Amino acid sequence: MTTAGSLTDAGVSEREAQVLALLGEHLTNAEISARLYISVRTVESHVSSLLRKLAVADRRALADLAGQLIHDSTSSPSHASAPTPPPAAAAPILPSPLTSFVGRAVERAALAEALEQHRLVTAVGPGGVGKTRLALAVAADLTDRFADGVWYVDLVPVTDPAMIGRAVAAALGEGEQPGRAVDETVLTRLGPARALVVLDNCEHLADGVVVFVERLLGSCPHLVVLATSRARLQVPFEWTFPVQGLSLGDDVAGADASDAVTLFQERAAAVGAAPFGPEDRRRIAAICRDLDGMALAIELAAARLATLGIDGLEAGLADQLRLLAGGPRLDDRHRSLRAALDWSYALLDDTDRAVLRRVSVFAGPFTADAAAMVAGHGLTAAEVADALAQLADQSLLGVLPSPTGTRYRALETIRQYGAAWLDDAGEETQAHADHLRWCLTIAAGLEAEPDKDQGSWRVAFDAAADDLRAALAWMVLVPDHRRDAHDLAVALAGLAFARGWSGEALRRYEQAAQLSDGDAEMAAALRKACGAALSWHMGNHALRLYREAADAAIRSGDYASAAHDLALAATMLTRAPGLIEDMPPPGAPGRLLGEAHVLAIRDPRIAVDATILVAESFNGHEIDPLSLALAERAVELARRIGDPLIESAGLDMVTAVQLAIGEIGEAAISARRRLELLAPLPFHPDLGLESRDAYQMASETSLAAGDIATAQDLAERILDLRDYREEQHLATPRLLAVDSLTGRWDRVLLNSLKFQESWERAGRPRLRNLSVGAAATAMVHGLRGDDEARAIWSGIVAELRGDDHERRRSGYGGVFDSIVLLHRGRHAEAVERLQRTPEQLREWFTGLWRHWYAALWAEAAVLANHPEAEDRLGRARFLTTGNPVATAMVERVSALASGERDRMPAIAAALDAAGCVYQAARTRALGDGDVRSQGQADLAALGAAPMA
């Protein structure tokens, strides 16, 4: 039987395993190519390799094999939670044009050749000439050339240069990653990629695009960028590709050779025009020539053919062109497009013109209801809806079907045209004010939604986000709307945080602080920014913001809040130093607490007292009795005033003390109490890292106490935390630890791939609290006999922790290493590895592992015939009381020491009942006769190498 473990034995690589999983979903090579952003040719190569390595006859057999692997993993009673294939990343998707692309064969070939020779090509031309359609057509032509994908980014909705990176990240399917800017995420993701990125409509963000593209191309040596803009970006490495109007034919070739005429005929046919004869085509060619071959102008004219006929088109356009004939000839194509737009605008009735002007304030697609609210000044909703339909019929608006209903959108050229008329009509302020009112209504509705973690909510927010940002950008510049700007900045920050975009939330809260009416309001916004910074793993930002919030509170006379801010900063320095890249000088927590005490005296409040007590407790040592007394007092005060966040922080210190002094069962209860406190709270920045830390500590302490089922359940729930879903290196370490110790190794192999890919995509951050997952993975590879993979993961552990001394000092290091050594029969080396006594594990992070460590410490001594074996066995029996797994492991050691191997079946049954499959199999393998054979078979089924 083929198992996930035997895939590795057969030499199946990580990428081949992903291809195999997708074959099991019966995807074609093209679909697999899109899901994994590799070329079809590469997929074919992987399929051929899988056929050879797995010795199967054809593709159907591979698909059946993949399906059987998934079925086996879900049906196996020893694997209650089935391993699932790593989720495929978002496939590159080019927008699907609603109409066909006409002509430009020469330009398509020339632009494709330019992209082969240059890394930045800018397609330059006036609005409406067809730059976007040409860029999309060429990008589609080149998908096979770029093995890692072709990505399209529309910059029209982006109003802030700082959001360019976010727009690109969204196109790549990347979310924010804690501790790093979105731009860095993009650079890391695209660093090794052989890909094409299309940046469409760059003109309004030219300076920001230049800075971003310079970093992008400098960091990504195989990347190519195709930009479209009305003007060149003006950087030395740019290759400019002028985009002209459509070909107009000549007197020899005639109208039939004209791309412009072909476009006109296709678009006219779409609105019901009859086929054209030779004379009609000649007249149409003349119209297209007057319009300089401008694609948008030709489409606008064709849309009117059904109602005006060729005579009407000729007369109307001739009048417009004569009106503009006295203008300068340097920009003929702008003249012809403006003529077509002016003519189309003049043919509209007053209502249609008003709606076209007013909807130009939308940054993204909009619904008829939104248009009625924004463009309906003096108009009914029915009139607005009818106007939208008329504008769509005349090609002045595009219609975008969506699951949530029909949306409309104007091409950027038409939007800018409408905005110009909006100003001329004196309606700009009114339209933007109506747009602001709509944005505030949308934001309020999104804020009121009780469950912001539903897919429908995310879709609704994503659809409105660009307009919220655009409205905020407009309000910031209008003094009369400063109050509205502050409120919208706060709302947008909260929504972004709920969406999992802590980086944008941080930026918007800081923006709200700058827009505040007074210092008290500023301090409130800065505190929210602190929570967003902590959630983003930006410790130094949080320290700065705590200080700024305290200073603002002091200026407002709110000394208690200032003391609270400084105490939280002191707590962070001692409770979460791993989040701080540049640690302040020694003694910083004490100095912050000194300031907090002075301020608290001026304005005493119980909540501040509780916060300072928490900070004081974390500033001490876990085994200092004063630390526990301070933490317990803080918990009592917080409970009295009903502050679950302070109570949770105090309980965290209580948990740490209990782990340090060996009260592991009590520590697990304290950790789970934190979850009960925090569960009713909505997801908001004030939680900071509290909720995530509570889940992690609850899972770890449950594992420490031998409560496998609870540890596994909590570790799986960490995977579902909204700000961890896209960051598998943050989400999976606790589950890797649980699964590695209990024998769910197929899932370890799959989740470790997710961990590694996510960690590398995040830039390989040095976060010590992730190292337990990497060490657990290294242990599994060691038990499977794969020393090469074990060495790779041991290297990752060292990189995460910084040095080998730190790894060896950690509690889990001795546990994981000794399990491998004992499995291989290297008992004396296990004794050497476990030099510290269990009683010496006196920090919270080593105390977590005291029970497991004690059992293995005794087992190594007995199997190595160590002179202190009997003493160690007695101490281990005492130390592991209450832990069903560690107690059973000690009983196994006792049976080995006394030669009572007939006790092994009962001990193995106890380990099975506790959910520890590997230790149960090892116990049977240490028995006699049939029991031993059964244990060896169980280990083999897990994928373990033969046990010495």
Side-chain angles (χ1 to χ4, degrees), residues 4 151 271 319 380 705 724 736 747 817 824:
W151 305 92
V271 294
D319 288 342
T380 67
Y724 272 5
L736 288 170
R747 192 159 70 168
D817 287 349
R824 296 183 175 188

Side-chain angles (χ1 to χ4, degrees), residues 15 88 189 336 431 513 529 845 883 939:
R15 179 64 84 187
R189 166 67 183 279
S336 58
F845 55 88
N883 184 320
L939 288 172

Side-chain angles (χ1 to χ4, degrees), residues 685-710:
D686 291 343
L687 281 172
L689 292 176
E690 200 68 42
S691 181
R692 280 184 267 173
D693 181 74
Y695 272 105
Q696 291 169 353
M697 285 298 292
S699 177
E700 289 180 329
T701 53
S702 295
L703 180 61
D707 185 353
I708 301 299
T710 300

Side-chain angles (χ1 to χ4, degrees), residues 819 822-825 827 856 859-860 862-863 888-897 899-905 907-908 911 918-939 947-948:
I819 286 176
L822 291 173
H823 185 90
R824 296 183 175 188
H827 307 138
L856 295 164
E859 182 169 342
V862 169
L863 292 175
M889 291 170 65
V890 172
E891 287 304 308
R892 181 178 67 203
V893 178
S894 175
L896 290 172
E900 299 173 284
R901 293 180 183 265
D902 58 339
R903 293 168 53 193
M904 294 305 178
I907 297 170
L911 287 165
Y918 167 72
Q919 292 297 341
R922 173 171 167 78
T923 301
R924 293 187 184 94
L926 290 169
D928 290 321
D930 292 342
V931 173
R932 180 183 187 126
S933 298
Q934 181 61 52
Q936 291 171 337
D938 292 343
L939 288 172
M947 191 177 80

Side-chain angles (χ1 to χ4, degrees), residues 306-318:
T307 55
L308 297 179
I310 296 179
D311 291 340
L313 291 180
E314 290 174 327
L317 286 173

